[in-house]
Amino acid sequence: MMKRIYWMAVCLMCTVAVSAQERQKGFYKDLFMDSGIMLTSRADLPAARLADLSMESFVSTAHSYTEKYSFTDADTILQNQLIGGSAIDENGILLYPDGAPRFRVVYMNGGRAKSHGTSLGEQGRANYRTFVAHGGSYVGSCAGAFIASVGTKLPDKDATPYDVYLGIWPGYTTGTGLEKSWTHVDIEPGSPLLRYYRFAHKMNIDSVRHNGGCFANMKYNCPEGTEVLARYSTPGDQPNRNIIGEPVIWAYKASDATGRIVLCGSHPEGVEEGARLELTSAMLKYAMDGVGKPVVKGELKSGEPRRMDCHTHDGNPDYARIGDKQYHHFTVQIPEGADSVKITLSSVTTQNNFDVYLFANDGSLAFKDEAEYSDLTLGINKELVIGSPKAGMLFVSVFCDTTVEALNTRYGTQYSGRLDVLNGVPYSICATVFPRKE
């Protein structure tokens, strides 16, 4: 009887979690998968289909342990352009012009962590760090877990930090020493992973592929707030590395503003059915439920236009251009007794062939399907007039509906069509509050 009640509670948590994900808005797509240089060249992620996520990817030429450098110049060029940025997309595929995350979550495959970190280059690594710091979430398995850390700490050896790691989880990983093997995973009692799936009513998931993976070193400078989600229940094959009870899946979220990191030392991601598939999907969902809170750009002063036309390189995100499928949020203070408020959205260039919408809401962020007031006419130029507005905080949002066309290619997703939107759409916004006439 108690077991039945427990799983009924889990199902209720699942419903709550899904509802939370549906409320997240302002991202171009759900998931970007990094299958780049020296990572597994995975083109498909079954867990993304299970979770019904929109996904894009970069897939490099496959490498092997016998032919480590079989990737081509095209791999390097494309990876640098996509992650690090280029003339047509200065901020790179992960980021909007203001540095906000363009995807809700990134999944990084296994492979060779240091080699992939080196291949990303300084700008690529910086963009990953910005992505998480500004609210994007991250899931990584094996190499994807190693590279997310500060470095490694092996038994009886000093900790070794690596500049080519991302450090988005500011702790150290320890290699298991297990190669071409399988592990059993015990889900922690009360683990947030249980919010999403039943895992065949089991707390132990067996036969999870493992090849040179890691665990979170909880004994050496482990960052406060690290959550253990599941533990190994398989012994290691080296006398000084008994991994039973060590964290195989763990999570970390630095603040409300940052994304959530979910890392796994083993490889459940390639499975197409059963508990291992659900395990990967649960990690993705928990990460996405931890995206950072939306940011308000600032308060619009009555009658003062705010010009939003800065590029990424200007380093002024509060006045940056808007990206595809992105929201910019503002507030307007409405005094007692106001007669009306007029909000205008204007193009600041001769090019007006972008579809940018305008929304307003009393007391909460204004999203397209929830806004009390909206102007969805085509083009950029808009006007909202609200009569007898409520005193207090009025939230105003701008949304860019113009986006690129995504094509599936041998290298993953490539863009065509409205490439000009990648560097952002400039605009001006102004709110004018009119006092009531005596």
Side-chain angles (χ1 to χ4, degrees), residues 190-218:
S191 170
L193 298 177
L194 296 168
R195 298 174 187 173
Y196 308 101
Y197 298 100
R198 299 187 183 189
F199 305 113
H201 299 283
K202 296 178 180 179
M203 295 293 285
N204 178 273
I205 299 173
D206 62 20
S207 304
V208 181
R209 183 176 174 271
H210 192 91
N211 190 22
C214 60
F215 59 83
N217 193 315
M218 305 294 287

Side-chain angles (χ1 to χ4, degrees), residues 174-387:
T174 298
T176 62
L178 282 172
E179 303 282 345
K180 299 179 181 179
S181 186
W182 305 88
T183 58
H184 298 291
V185 171
D186 283 341
I187 299 175
E188 282 283 275
S191 170
L193 298 177
L194 296 168
R195 298 174 187 173
Y196 308 101
Y197 298 100
R198 299 187 183 189
F199 305 113
H201 299 283
K202 296 178 180 179
M203 295 293 285
N204 178 273
I205 299 173
D206 62 20
S207 304
V208 181
R209 183 176 174 271
H210 192 91
N211 190 22
C214 60
F215 59 83
N217 193 315
M218 305 294 287
K219 300 175 183 177
Y220 184 84
N221 291 348
C222 183
E224 184 178 354
T226 299
E227 302 176 86
V228 177
L229 310 186
R231 298 179 186 272
Y232 290 106
S233 60
T234 303
D237 63 356
Q238 298 187 21
N240 63 341
R241 293 194 214 178
N242 182 4
I243 65 173
I244 292 178
E246 298 289 0
V248 57
I249 304 174
W250 66 101
Y252 174 78
K253 182 173 168 64
S255 71
D256 286 344
T258 67
R260 177 176 286 135
I261 313 299
V262 180
L263 306 177
C264 179
S266 289
H267 284 287
E269 67 276 1
V271 181
E272 297 182 345
E273 62 182 4
R276 291 170 294 174
L277 171 63
E278 292 178 344
L279 185 63
T280 308
S281 186
M283 289 190 291
L284 292 171
K285 288 187 174 187
Y286 187 51
M288 288 187 295
D289 277 345
V291 297
K293 292 182 178 180
V295 174
V296 174
K297 293 289 185 184
E299 182 180 346
L300 301 176
K301 303 296 183 181
S302 181
E304 298 180 10
R306 183 182 179 114
R307 193 177 174 97
M308 303 292 292
D309 63 349
C310 289
H311 292 275
T312 300
H313 64 257
D314 294 321
N316 196 1
D318 288 342
Y319 294 86
R321 301 172 172 218
I322 193 169
D324 55 338
K325 302 297 182 180
Q326 184 184 21
Y327 282 93
H328 281 179
H329 301 285
F330 305 92
T331 59
V332 182
Q333 190 65 42
I334 307 297
E336 291 283 353
D339 178 76
S340 62
V341 56
K342 181 173 72 173
I343 306 164
T344 57
L345 180 67
S346 307
S347 174
V348 297
T349 67
T350 57
Q351 190 177 14
N352 191 36
N353 63 337
F354 297 96
D355 294 327
V356 182
Y357 304 144
L358 181 63
F359 307 102
N361 235 8
D362 289 316
S364 62
L365 295 175
F367 292 105
K368 181 169 62 174
D369 56 349
E370 300 170 352
E372 297 176 68
Y373 313 97
S374 61
D375 188 338
L376 290 92
T377 55
L378 300 179
I380 295 180
N381 298 320
K382 304 284 186 297
E383 182 177 282
L384 281 178
V385 178
I386 303 171

Side-chain angles (χ1 to χ4, degrees), residues 10 83 89-90 141 150 164 168 170 192 227 251 292 323 333 343 375 392 397 426:
V10 169
I83 308 299
D89 186 9
E90 181 185 358
S141 56
V150 172
V164 296
I168 51 179
E227 302 176 86
Q333 190 65 42
I343 306 164
D375 188 338
S397 294

Side-chain angles (χ1 to χ4, degrees), residues 17-99:
V18 170
S19 299
Q21 290 173 25
E22 289 175 346
R23 289 197 299 270
Q24 296 174 352
K25 311 195 186 279
F27 297 93
Y28 162 69
K29 286 186 179 176
D30 296 317
L31 171 66
F32 178 79
M33 180 169 66
D34 189 344
S35 303
I37 294 172
M38 301 305 290
L39 298 179
T40 300
S41 298
R42 185 182 306 282
D44 177 47
L45 190 62
R49 294 199 303 278
L50 178 63
D52 196 26
L53 305 181
S54 56
M55 187 182 90
E56 293 184 355
S57 61
F58 170 63
V59 183
S60 74
T61 302
H63 79 280
S64 69
Y65 289 97
T66 56
E67 297 180 53
K68 300 177 185 178
Y69 305 105
S70 57
F71 54 86
T72 67
D73 289 342
D75 291 293
T76 300
I77 292 169
L78 284 173
Q79 180 172 281
N80 287 344
Q81 290 176 339
L82 289 173
I83 308 299
S86 64
I88 64 171
D89 186 9
E90 181 185 358
N91 28 276
I93 197 171
L94 299 181
L95 304 175
Y96 283 125
D98 60 357

